[in-house]
Amino acid sequence: MTGQLTLQSATLKPWHTLGFDVKAKGVVEVFSEVDIHQILAFAKQYDLPVLPLGEGSNTIFSSDFAGIVMRVCLKGRRVEQGNDGQLVVYGAAGENWHSFVRWTIDQGASGLENLSLIPGTVGASPIQNIGAYGVEVKDVIDWVRYIDIASGEVIQLKASDCAFAYRDSIFKQQLRDQIVITEVAFRLSSNFTPNLSYIGLQDSHAKTALQLSDYIVKVREAKLPDPQHLGNVGSFFKNPIISEDHYQVLKENFPNLVAYFVGGGCWKLAAGWLIDQCGFKGIRKGKVGVYKHQALVLVHYGEGHVEDLLSLAWDIQQQVWLRFSVRMEIEPRIYPQ
């Protein structure tokens, strides 16, 4: 734990990638489970809510936070040999996600390469069930270790008990705001079998996990803004999932509709395409806007207000609904809610 925590208003501007100047009652960094228990005891004494935060790359502060923001900085990573080429890889919650992915590749472990360059931390990855290029992190998680905020109990939850779904999990639903993730274990492989199911990855001609990771990094850099230079939280909306009947109606009216069959009589629509069709791609409204290379990304140019970004998001939701009868769900977590 760095310094002495005091109940003094602190800006959250440096601690979330949108960079809005919102405040919290206090901000503290924790480097161990002991630190976490101390902060939880302090918060309980003053009857304050606690918000664990990684790199803030998937968080929107809609207003000041009337509690303590706990920046989870736990470090540590290790790998153990399993059976039949399986490797169990452990990552502390505060490890940078992309650095962790590249480290696993250096260790001869494959399975995370499709998730290269996703902003955030290891501890945040199961909350959102991060996914990209045909892979979701739930596919390789073994278990998640966390501390219950109310009781202080340390719990290890198997992946099968995490209620993983598309950009969703038990940590985003039933356990939202109730736990602090401290470590995640992954089941990876020493045998590289490339997942090239996503359209376009076949062009990578990757023969190693590193080559596939490098290719995905280039693709992401070409179409997504670096949050260190332009405030954003990556994909702002989930790709909507609709019924077969709804899909057929849209396909008839919009022959160029971008959609993917996901089974169970459902189709996943490309949210970026929907937004683009409504004329929002590249639009700027004051200090916020929609990224010129990817309509799914809303951006903050600096010195703006979060209300402006949420107003723009609302406009997008309204227009997509009016044109396509599709509800657009915001992907990042919003605090307070």
Side-chain angles (χ1 to χ4, degrees):
M1 190 167 61
T2 300
Q4 180 66 39
L5 178 67
T6 59
L7 294 179
Q8 181 176 356
S9 179
T11 182
L12 296 173
K13 187 174 182 178
W15 309 127
H16 66 122
T17 57
L18 275 170
F20 290 111
D21 189 17
V22 289
K23 305 289 193 300
K25 289 285 188 181
V27 179
V28 65
E29 295 179 321
V30 292
F31 296 90
S32 68
E33 291 191 5
V34 172
D35 288 350
I36 294 173
H37 287 295
Q38 289 178 348
I39 295 304
L40 295 182
F42 181 93
K44 188 174 184 178
Q45 177 184 354
Y46 288 92
D47 193 26
L48 291 170
V50 173
L51 174 62
L53 189 69
E55 295 180 358
S57 60
N58 194 50
T59 302
I60 301 171
F61 290 99
S62 60
S63 62
D64 292 349
F65 182 71
I68 299 170
V69 170
M70 178 194 295
R71 297 197 61 242
V72 180
C73 302
L74 282 69
K75 303 296 183 183
R77 49 198 187 187
R78 57 192 173 90
V79 58
E80 291 180 357
Q81 292 286 339
N83 299 320
D84 301 322
Q86 188 180 78
L87 301 172
V88 183
V89 181
Y90 306 87
E95 290 281 347
N96 173 268
W97 175 256
H98 179 64
S99 295
F100 180 74
V101 170
R102 299 291 279 201
W103 175 82
T104 64
I105 294 172
D106 290 342
Q107 306 309 304
S110 65
L112 296 179
E113 52 276 359
N114 289 53
L115 305 179
S116 297
L117 207 63
I118 293 178
T121 60
V122 167
S125 65
I127 298 174
Q128 188 76 356
N129 181 25
I130 59 173
Y133 302 102
V135 172
E136 290 184 323
V137 76
K138 72 175 179 62
D139 301 329
V140 291
I141 285 180
D142 190 10
W143 50 257
V144 178
R145 177 185 172 95
Y146 66 84
I147 297 174
D148 183 276
I149 289 176
S151 68
E153 183 181 3
V154 178
I155 298 171
Q156 190 166 293
L157 201 62
K158 296 185 297 183
S160 57
D161 295 325
C162 291
F164 286 125
Y166 172 58
R167 301 298 178 270
D168 206 358
S169 71
I170 192 172
F171 311 111
K172 199 174 177 182
Q173 299 297 333
Q174 296 96 318
L175 295 181
R176 178 187 166 105
D177 302 334
Q178 297 179 43
I179 56 108
V180 184
I181 293 176
T182 58
E183 188 178 33
V184 184
F186 303 87
R187 293 172 281 99
L188 305 181
S189 176
S190 60
N191 302 311
F192 173 62
T193 303
N195 184 331
L196 304 178
S197 58
Y198 189 85
I199 296 173
L201 288 189
Q202 294 85 354
D203 298 335
S204 70
H205 305 296
K207 293 188 169 37
T208 68
L210 181 59
Q211 288 176 350
L212 184 53
S213 175
D214 285 343
Y215 183 84
I216 287 172
V217 166
K218 289 180 181 178
V219 172
R220 291 185 68 90
E221 287 179 336
K223 67 178 183 178
L224 298 172
D226 183 344
Q228 293 187 5
H229 299 113
L230 182 60
N232 73 93
V233 286
S235 299
F236 201 89
F237 298 99
K238 293 182 179 180
N239 289 319
I241 296 177
I242 61 172
S243 68
E244 176 72 30
D245 290 344
H246 194 171
Y247 167 75
Q248 292 299 339
V249 171
L250 290 180
K251 188 66 176 176
E252 182 177 348
N253 293 324
F254 305 94
N256 296 326
L257 180 72
V258 180
Y260 310 91
F261 185 67
V262 293
C266 293
W267 290 77
K268 181 185 291 185
L269 305 181
W273 185 87
L274 298 173
I275 298 168
D276 193 3
Q277 296 303 302
C278 291
F280 284 98
K281 188 175 182 178
I283 194 172
R284 178 167 178 169
K285 291 190 173 183
K287 300 295 185 179
V288 301
V290 178
Y291 192 51
K292 61 182 178 181
H293 297 308
Q294 173 52 268
L296 193 51
V297 178
L298 272 60
V299 297
H300 173 215
Y301 295 100
E303 306 307 319
H305 301 284
V306 65
E307 294 87 352
D308 298 330
L309 188 79
L310 294 176
S311 175
L312 174 58
W314 173 249
D315 288 344
I316 291 171
Q317 289 173 311
Q318 289 291 94
Q319 291 304 311
V320 170
W321 171 255
L322 290 173
R323 186 165 188 183
F324 300 103
S325 297
V326 170
R327 297 190 184 280
M328 299 284 280
E329 184 179 351
I330 293 176
E331 183 172 317
R333 298 186 297 169
I334 299 177
Y335 290 94
Q337 190 174 50

